[in-house]
Amino acid sequence: MDRGCFITFEGIDGCGKSTQIGLLTGYLEERGIDYLLLREPGGTVIGENIRTILLDKKNSGMTDMTELLLFEAARAQIVSEVIRPAVESGKVVICDRFFDSTAAYQGYAKNMGQDVVETLNQLATGGFYPDITFLLDITPEQAMERRAARGEEDRIEKLGMEFQKKVRDGYLAIASESSRIVKIDGARTPEDTFSEILGYLEEMI
Ligand code: TMP
């Protein structure tokens, strides 16, 4: 059985990931390509339970280390239970966020250290990494406008504009060091943004 592929989408909150993922799954469906859509944290029963804890506004007392370890715990579960078996059985797996989120949010924006995050990412994934990652880059101001249209904010979105700026800087730093991560200008129309993404994927899927 040929290996499938593993595609991840990243960016600050409100960057347009959901729209682009919707366009991609529509494209795959039209062509009858078998895919699996997942999100992090989540994607398994255990992971969705961890997600509830992580995003609950009542958990404002959560320490940064608890947060980091919970994201990694959810990741260990989804990689072993779902992502690795699906990719190995030939499926296209799309994940809304993966370990680059931890590098940007916890490593950079919360200053927990890239070395710590990299070690935990390696442990949680067992070295199973995405084939390609799309970083949808927009300014925190543009993202804020989109989030305002979406309604209530979760525990992490509530950290505000300064935090989102740090997350964006973190993403840009990570992207500049990795050939796996493709930076996409997410401020254009959804159609223009998607056609650039498709240009990278057409040979792969
Ligand atoms: P979502 O709203 O895109 O589903 O993501 C949930 C929130 O969790 C979002 O604010 C980003 C944050 N997050 C981290 O801080 N670290 C991580 O490792 C992941 C996967 C998400």
Side-chain angles (χ1 to χ4, degrees), residues 70-134:
L70 284 174
F71 278 118
E72 296 292 357
R75 180 161 305 130
Q77 191 66 33
I78 197 176
V79 171
S80 151
E81 187 181 322
V82 188
I83 298 176
R84 187 191 276 268
V87 174
E88 286 175 353
S89 75
K91 276 210 172 80
V92 173
V93 174
I94 304 160
C95 201
D96 183 341
R97 298 193 180 283
F98 196 58
F99 60 12
D100 297 306
S101 284
T102 319
Y105 282 77
Q106 282 69 44
Y108 277 85
K110 294 210 167 173
N111 219 3
M112 299 201 65
Q114 285 312 307
D115 46 347
V116 174
V117 169
E118 267 172 34
T119 302
L120 290 172
N121 280 342
Q122 167 71 30
L123 281 171
T125 60
F128 196 85
Y129 292 175
D131 296 295
I132 189 162
T133 297
F134 295 106

